[in-house]
Amino acid sequence: QVTLKESGPVLVKPTETLTLTCTVSGFSLNNARMGVSWIRQPPGKALEWLAHIFSNDEKSYSTSLKRRLTISKDTSKSQLVLTMTNMDPVDTATYYCARTKWDLFDAFDIWGQGTMVTVSS
Amino acid sequence: EIVLTQSPGTLSLSPGERATLSCRASQSVSSSYLAWYQQKPGQAPRLLIYGASSRATGIPDRFSGRGSGTDFTLTISRLEPEDFAVYYCQKYGSSPPGWTFGQGTKVEIK
């Protein structure tokens, strides 16, 4: 069974750096046909793609947030990490990690349950 | 950067009715890389359609997608009670690699 699970702080203060972890099971982060993205959703709003890491460790970032984001992976631990610097209240959202598959034209076929992050002093 | 605009914002229908949701791109999109998702309150999105018209595993055949270029449609032939939710279209572009979501269409019970 393929699963992804996000973990990280529930509350961060403005200007702090957010670090989120996505732990995957049922597939390898080295699988050439798969990748994993981070996606967020502010309360009551639409989904926003943030960053993606491919099996070959190539990374891609949202143009608008690129300067604040870093995505990485530890294949041996089956984990991905997203860091977002200089957090602001507008970054309050549910953060998801989701898998893409090459044979599904890189659509997100499996999603984590999401983790809610609130930015407040 | 390509923008996806979904319409209508809200669709009020009764169970058994047909729902037609639109997703319009600001520039032509490869139909291979257009997907649709369903999201219910408190849940993660679920993949419905990929490649503009292929149903994902386990998706009932009352869901269908079509379109090309800048205009894409998700149709639910006969609404079941569990279909009332928010629907998002999404596109993938490879140069540079990136994903974009529409703003969503809420299908609510009339």
Side-chain angles (χ1 to χ4, degrees):
Chain A
Q1 184 187 5
V2 174
T3 65
L4 299 91
K5 186 171 184 178
E6 306 87 350
S7 58
V10 174
L11 180 65
V12 298
K13 291 181 168 55
T15 76
E16 287 186 340
T17 294
L18 171 69
T19 299
L20 295 173
T21 300
C22 174
T23 302
V24 310
S25 64
F27 71 102
S28 169
L29 294 174
N30 278 338
N31 189 317
R33 299 167 65 182
M34 299 174 186
V36 180
S37 273
W38 286 95
I39 297 153
R40 71 178 179 179
Q41 185 173 38
K45 295 189 177 181
L47 300 163
E48 179 183 19
W49 174 75
L50 300 177
H52 186 84
I53 192 161
F54 295 86
S55 59
N56 64 0
D57 213 40
E58 180 183 348
K59 295 144 185 156
S60 184
Y61 296 99
S62 162
T63 302
S64 60
L65 293 168
K66 184 173 186 175
R67 286 185 293 180
R68 299 174 54 204
L69 296 173
T70 303
I71 190 171
S72 62
K73 65 176 177 173
D74 184 332
T75 303
S76 65
K77 293 183 179 179
S78 294
Q79 290 183 333
L80 296 93
V81 173
L82 179 76
T83 62
M84 180 180 288
T85 61
N86 194 25
M87 292 292 284
D88 183 273
V90 300
D91 297 314
T92 293
T94 297
Y95 287 76
Y96 297 98
C97 54
R99 184 182 78 169
T100 60
K101 286 185 72 177
W102 169 82
D103 56 348
L104 300 181
F105 299 105
D106 291 308
F108 300 109
D109 69 326
I110 306 292
W111 295 64
Q113 65 191 16
T115 186
M116 178 67 193
V117 177
T118 299
V119 184
S120 175
S121 54
Chain B
E1 189 168 310
I2 297 177
V3 175
L4 299 179
T5 301
Q6 293 187 240
S7 62
T10 301
L11 199 51
S12 299
L13 296 168
S14 301
E17 289 194 295
R18 182 184 188 90
T20 302
L21 288 66
S22 173
C23 176
R24 179 162 290 179
S26 58
Q27 300 174 45
S28 184
V29 171
S30 168
S31 59
S32 296
Y33 295 102
L34 195 287
W36 290 90
Y37 301 83
Q38 177 194 66
Q39 187 178 32
K40 297 179 181 179
Q43 297 184 16
R46 176 175 71 144
L47 177 64
L48 298 175
I49 301 287
Y50 65 93
S53 60
S54 297
R55 276 186 299 276
T57 302
I59 302 304
D61 61 7
R62 64 180 181 272
F63 291 92
S64 63
R66 61 177 295 173
S68 64
T70 60
D71 291 304
F72 299 87
T73 302
L74 174 70
T75 300
I76 311 170
S77 59
R78 289 177 308 280
L79 282 164
E80 297 287 343
E82 62 267 28
D83 299 336
F84 292 92
V86 179
Y87 292 84
Y88 294 95
C89 60
Q90 167 255 306
K91 71 99 182 156
Y92 167 71
S94 60
S95 299
W99 288 256
T100 303
F101 290 92
Q103 83 279 19
T105 289
K106 181 180 182 180
V107 179
E108 65 176 21
I109 300 176
K110 186 175 182 179

